[in-house]
Amino acid sequence: GIPLLAGGGGFSWASWGLARVGHGPSSLTGAGVHVYVLDTGIFAGHDEFGGRVVPTLDLTRGRGAEECQVGDSECATDRVGHGTAVA
């Protein structure tokens, strides 16, 4: 967790990321939300993403920004593993 300053000079632990997002736990599902990850790419076929990944822009091939074409499984793919872990 992330240590957060609390009243009286102590601290409490927050779940990772909540302090950054600025929203506490709730019943929100995230339905209809688009998240963009600018990192080393993403392994779109990872089981945890459940087919929800849509590669859109590739900056990982060293040729500047390239728009991903539908069905291009190499576009914006994660060649080092970091972007998938972040996502």
Side-chain angles (χ1 to χ4, degrees):
I2 299 171
L4 298 175
L5 294 177
F11 69 91
S12 63
W13 292 96
S15 295
W16 188 91
L18 292 181
R20 304 290 188 259
V21 175
H23 196 286
S26 71
S27 62
L28 299 176
T29 65
V33 174
H34 293 97
V35 176
Y36 298 89
V37 177
L38 183 60
D39 208 297
T40 61
I42 189 166
F43 173 44
H46 195 289
D47 291 340
E48 289 190 30
F49 300 135
R52 298 180 303 250
V53 172
V54 180
T56 305
L57 188 65
D58 191 340
L59 299 164
T60 67
R61 299 184 204 193
R63 300 185 296 224
E66 295 182 58
E67 186 175 348
C68 296
Q69 301 300 313
V70 175
D72 182 356
S73 62
E74 288 298 310
C75 190
T77 194
D78 194 350
R79 291 169 176 80
V80 297
H82 188 266
T84 302
V86 169

